[in-house]
Each structure stands twice: as structure tokens, then as C-alpha cells.
Amino acid sequence: MSGMKQGGNEDDDSPCCPPHPAFVHGLCSKCGAKEDTGGGAPGPGVAVEYWLMKDDDDDSPCCPPHPAFVNGLCSKCGAKEDDTAGGLLGDGVTVAYYKTNQGGDAAAAEHCPPHPGFVGGLCSRCGAMEEDTAGGALGVTVAYETMKQGVDAGASASSLAAVGALVTQALPMTNIPRAPDQATLLLTKKLILILDLDHTLLNSTRLNKFSPIEQEKGFTSNTMDDPSMGIFRLDRYSINMLTKLRPFARGFLAQANTMFEMYVYTLGGPDYARAVVQLLDPDGAYFGERVVSSQESSRRDMKSLDVIPGAEDAAATVVIIDDTETVWPWHQDNLILIDRYFYFASGCNKLDYQFNSLAEQGLDEKEHDGALAVVLSVLGRVHKGFFDSVHDHGGHRADVRAVIREARSQVLRGCTLVFSLSESAEDNGEDSPMRPLAEKLGAVCQVDVDQTVTHVVAEDPRTQKAQWARSNVKFLVNPEWIKVASSRWCRQDELKGFGWHCNGEKMELPFGPDSHLLAMRVGTVNVQRAD
């Protein structure tokens, strides 16, 4: 069993200390020496995990903005907090802390023995000593992430290899089935699909969190199951919540299952995950044991393919559907965003969205033209594009990330946009937050108007560029047009709710300016009366 070299060992394979770069809970973040002795091994009850991220400029972290700072360093790119214009992680180590069930060995060792592996003489899961596998004190798990851009120049290749060897031993052991390899996927003509739960396939609320308007609509703590509406209580699973399945959720899964090997990945708890998956897939035909919850996730507030055995190696075949972009910082190119499903008001309130929920409005998405139907159509295009690439170029060159990029770039292809933000004479529109999205969608964006321009995207219809668009018979649209095109994966009719009236008022989307569509800036999801 491989272990970490400890203390001030002079061996070439050991971390090069002293000097010690920093101490975490009394232990050197590089070599594990105790702060009060200058050497020694980590004490009982401390398990050490290392994640060594590949050193690849093409995949380097995309900062700024910086997601968070740990010990004064950005957790993604290693920039110093007081020098956000740069600064690499000096010794190549960012330290993150995860406290694990400090209630004694019984809580920690719920699934031990058998012990998955020992690091520094301690079980990487429960903290039991290797020579005393019947127990061992549970303490604090310290996770070290060697970042892509901050590898210590003084660390030898052999020491990095030793750290890398610990990865498979120290990562949490789960029962999640291994992702199929590419050969198997090519044989079955399937890809891998990872699906979020909340606000993607369903929406849940606590039984005591109904808004006054929802209570007027008949939602109470005594509301019973209504399978015709996709509403189910979870108290049969000892969870005091009510869940609403998104329209077309089961039909979506049935059709996606023909093209994909599917996994669920939620940051919700394991009991909740199992309960709602049972509603979506009562026979286990779609997911089986392929369910990742917060218990299996290697990070509390982010998601990564590292928790699914084999998925990182098969990233070229993985498609992700989620309503939140920021939880997938390392796999943006695999991600297809879906409009958030806000059936209950508690979800709107939690994210501080100032609009009425679908339940409060007595509305719901349409099955045939809602968000899941749109995403299913995109998945079909991605699946076809991938296997067309396999046929044309061979499986080793096919990559869903390239297929997704190409499909996205076709949405506004052929459009040349100019952005207008204000009536200022220096209104160049370069700072519009919609410009990067428009370019991802395939539009050409420029600063000045000329006859090649097809659209002026205006925050204010009174600007000179907006007036030029009207005079030259060009499309004058508001930024909603780009957002909706992105969500629907197709160019929208500019004259149906995305332009400006001659009196300077914004055109209304269907159901009026206070509707679910406009308030959610969705405009994308067709809704209907729930009655």
C-alpha cells in the first residue's frame, strides 16, 4: 500500500521540506510534518486525500471571475486574493477542508470494514489505523488539490507520481457503477448522459413552505398525491416534502434512454435522491444504481466527473444536463443548460427571484414544447453528430464537446449584431453582457453600424443606433431575443415579443409583462393553464 513520505525525509520521492510552506491543523500542507516538532507523521484520525489535476494549458482554469479564495489563493486558478490580476499558487497546493462526521468511529465507519485503502497508515474513509482495522479515531479529512497552473517547480516527478498514486486509494469509495468505456459505447451506439434533479427534472418544496398564494390555490401540508399532475408526497420515505415532476419528465427519460447510458447527479442528500429517482424511474430501467448524491460527491457545492468511475477518461462521450452552469467549472464544454423549473414559490424565494411561481399562476409547462422537449431535440442532434463523426473519422476523434459547440454556433449563424446600451455618443456596446453569448451562438458582433448589420440589440430604443435600425429597416430587438435563442437552441421570430414599439415600449412576451415567461427571462418555455 502506497503511503505519503512524512516528516523531513531526505528521500528524493518525499516533499522537499523544510522549509514548510504552511501548516493546516498543525500539519505541514506539503509533507505532513507536525508544526510543533518540525517533523513527524500526521496523528491518529486524520485521513489525507490528494487530487492531482492535469497540467494542460488548453484546459487551464478560466479566471477571472474567481469562484473563491482559500488561504488567499483562488481555488480554481491559484491567483492571489490581493493580486487578482495574476499570481500563481506558489508551492502548487491549495488546501480545502472537509469535516467528516466527528461523532466517533461508528458514524464514520458505517461502511467499513472492508477498508478501501490506507493513507499514512489510516483508512481513507473511516480513519481507522491500518494495524487496528477494528476501529480507529475519526477526525478531520484534509484534501489537497494540486492545481493545473501552480505545480511546485521543486517537486520531483517521482514525488508527484507518488501523490498521483494515492488518488485512487484516497477518493471516497462508492457503489456507483463504472462508466462504459468508449469501445462499449460505440458498440451499443450510446453516449453517457448526466442529469441534474432539482429544477431540471422536478421541483420540490417543504410541506410548511407554501406561499400564501399557493395556499389559496389549495396547497397545504395535507395535499395528497396527484399522479395526473405529477405531484407526490415524500413522507413515505420519511421526507416532509412535496415533489412536482416536470411535464414530460418520464417521456424524456424513456426516449433519452435509447441514446444514452444515464446517471443522476444531485447535490441533495442520498435519501432525497433515492426517493425522487424512485418516482422518476420506479422500475430502475433508466438509472439503476447510477445515482450520485452529496454523499458521493467529492465537493459540497460543485460537481465533477471524478466521482463516476471511468467518466473522466470518457469525457469525450459525456453530455451533462443541468440548470446551473457554475456547479460544473471543469466540464463547461460538456454542459447543456436547461431553463430552471420553478413550480413552487420556495425555489423562487431561495434564489431571490421576484416573480410568481407556476403554481401561484395556475400554469405549467407544455409537454410537447417545454424545456425537456427542447433539450431532447438537442440531445438527438448531439447523438447523431457524434456518431456521424465516428463514421466519418473514426471513434478516436469523435468528441461530444465539439459537437455541442458546433450545434450551439448554428443558432445565430448568419446574423451580424451591433449592441447599443445608452444614448451616449460613445455607445459602442462592447460591454454588453450578451455579446459573449451571442458569439457562442454563432453571431458576428461589431461595434459600428453598416449595411452588413442585420440586428441592433438595444437596451434603450431611443439610442442613435436604435434609430438607425428603424431608418434602415434592420431588426431592432431587446436582449431577451438572445437569451431565448440560447435556451431554445434556435433563432426566434424577432417580431414576436422581442422588439420595440414605435412609442419606445418593449414588446410584451405571451401572457403579458408580469407573466412567468418574461419574469423568468425565459420566454422560452411554452406554458398552459394547469386546469
Side-chain angles (χ1 to χ4, degrees):
M1 193 70 64
S2 298
M4 187 181 81
K5 303 285 185 181
Q6 299 173 3
N9 196 325
E10 298 296 331
D11 189 284
D12 289 340
D13 289 340
S14 65
C16 45
C17 293
H20 304 284
F23 289 88
V24 182
H25 293 288
L27 300 174
C28 173
S29 63
K30 184 181 290 186
C31 73
K34 293 183 179 178
E35 187 173 10
D36 56 347
T37 63
V46 178
V48 185
E49 294 179 5
Y50 298 83
W51 289 299
L52 183 64
M53 301 178 68
K54 61 181 178 180
D55 187 9
D56 186 343
D57 290 339
D58 292 338
D59 292 331
S60 60
C62 45
C63 292
H66 305 281
F69 290 89
V70 182
N71 282 358
L73 301 172
C74 173
S75 62
K76 183 184 290 186
C77 73
K80 294 180 180 178
E81 188 168 9
D82 56 355
D83 180 20
T84 53
L88 292 178
L89 188 55
D91 59 6
V93 179
T94 294
V95 183
Y97 308 89
Y98 299 92
K99 286 199 172 183
T100 57
N101 306 321
Q102 297 187 40
D105 56 351
E110 179 181 354
H111 301 293
C112 291
H115 302 279
F118 291 88
V119 182
L122 302 170
C123 173
S124 62
R125 178 160 56 194
C126 73
M129 295 184 182
E130 189 168 8
E131 65 270 26
D132 180 19
T133 55
L138 178 66
V140 179
T141 299
V142 183
Y144 298 78
E145 291 182 332
T146 302
M147 304 304 294
K148 298 176 186 176
Q149 294 187 2
V151 176
D152 182 8
S156 67
S158 54
S159 66
L160 292 177
V163 172
L166 289 173
V167 173
T168 55
Q169 299 170 22
L171 287 175
M173 298 294 289
T174 71
N175 294 321
I176 301 168
R178 186 174 184 82
D181 58 32
Q182 188 155 333
T184 302
L185 292 169
L186 294 177
L187 186 64
T188 59
K189 207 170 182 181
K190 282 191 171 185
L191 298 173
I192 298 169
L193 179 63
I194 298 176
L195 290 161
D196 176 49
L197 285 178
D198 292 290
H199 302 300
T200 295
L201 293 175
L202 50 87
N203 186 206
S204 299
T205 188
R206 297 274 177 194
L207 293 174
N208 61 353
K209 292 292 185 180
F210 296 115
S211 71
I213 298 177
E214 286 173 338
Q215 292 179 44
E216 291 176 6
K217 297 282 186 179
F219 289 99
T220 71
S221 59
N222 296 318
T223 295
M224 303 304 294
D225 289 1
D226 187 346
S228 66
M229 289 186 63
I231 292 176
F232 301 92
R233 295 177 67 96
L234 300 184
D235 45 9
R236 74 194 74 175
Y237 305 101
S238 301
I239 300 172
N240 293 321
M241 301 185 79
L242 191 70
T243 291
K244 170 70 170 68
L245 301 187
R246 196 169 200 162
F248 191 54
R250 288 171 172 162
F252 168 87
L253 294 176
Q255 294 187 47
N257 188 54
T258 65
M259 300 181 285
F260 295 89
E261 186 88 350
M262 297 190 294
Y263 289 75
V264 160
Y265 195 156
T266 176
L267 293 178
D271 293 339
Y272 172 75
R274 284 191 290 268
V276 296
V277 167
Q278 180 68 22
L279 297 177
L280 291 164
D281 183 21
D283 299 323
Y286 306 139
F287 302 114
E289 298 297 319
R290 297 184 296 275
V291 178
V292 181
S293 69
S294 59
Q295 178 172 283
E296 293 82 22
S297 185
S298 55
R299 296 162 179 84
R300 290 184 178 180
D301 56 354
M302 289 182 284
K303 300 178 181 180
S304 176
L305 297 181
D306 63 0
V307 302
I308 300 174
E312 282 193 303
D313 294 336
T317 62
V318 175
V319 181
I320 301 166
I321 306 296
D322 205 311
D323 65 279
T324 307
E325 185 175 21
T326 54
V327 299
W328 290 100
W330 297 285
H331 305 290
Q332 297 276 306
D333 290 340
N334 300 81
L335 178 64
I336 295 175
L337 281 175
I338 188 171
D339 282 325
R340 284 178 175 154
Y341 183 52
F342 286 109
Y343 189 77
F344 295 114
S346 59
C348 306
N349 298 336
K350 184 176 180 180
L351 295 175
D352 199 27
Y353 284 3
Q354 303 300 314
F355 55 80
N356 289 337
S357 69
L358 286 167
E360 289 175 323
Q361 298 181 68
L363 299 173
D364 206 353
E365 294 180 6
K366 292 181 178 179
E367 288 209 4
H368 72 278
D369 198 23
L372 286 175
V374 170
V375 167
L376 182 65
S377 174
V378 176
L379 290 176
R381 290 159 59 188
V382 170
H383 183 273
K384 182 179 184 302
F386 179 89
F387 284 99
D388 284 350
S389 180
V390 170
H391 181 268
D392 294 340
H393 305 296
H396 64 286
R397 295 180 58 184
D399 193 323
V400 294
R401 294 165 291 196
V403 177
I404 292 171
R405 276 195 301 272
E406 174 61 21
R408 185 179 282 118
S409 71
Q410 293 178 9
V411 173
L412 294 182
R413 188 167 292 176
C415 299
T416 300
L417 312 184
V418 166
F419 290 86
S420 181
L421 302 178
S422 68
E423 294 185 83
S424 166
E426 298 180 356
D427 177 23
N428 58 29
E430 285 187 303
D431 296 330
S432 171
M434 289 294 102
R435 179 169 180 154
L437 177 58
E439 290 174 336
K440 284 184 179 180
L441 299 176
V444 174
C445 299
Q446 59 187 52
V447 174
D448 299 317
V449 296
D450 58 36
Q451 288 307 310
T452 66
V453 172
T454 59
H455 297 72
V456 172
V457 184
E459 297 276 1
D460 185 333
R462 297 166 295 183
T463 67
Q464 291 182 8
K465 290 177 180 176
Q467 294 172 16
W468 176 90
R470 283 190 286 265
S471 299
N472 288 269
V473 197
K474 304 293 184 178
F475 287 116
L476 176 61
V477 295
N478 60 62
E480 291 293 321
W481 177 73
I482 298 174
K483 299 173 187 176
V484 174
S486 177
S487 294
R488 299 290 289 183
W489 286 73
C490 67
R491 177 175 166 178
Q492 301 297 292
D493 188 333
E494 291 85 351
L495 302 180
K496 292 187 177 179
F498 300 103
W500 295 96
H501 292 295
C502 293
N503 62 3
E505 294 182 358
K506 185 184 290 187
M507 288 184 179
E508 296 177 358
L509 292 172
F511 305 108
D514 295 326
S515 73
H516 171 69
L517 295 180
L518 182 59
M520 289 181 68
R521 57 152 253 234
V522 179
T524 74
V525 179
N526 287 333
V527 298
Q528 61 186 355
R529 290 288 164 187
D531 41 54

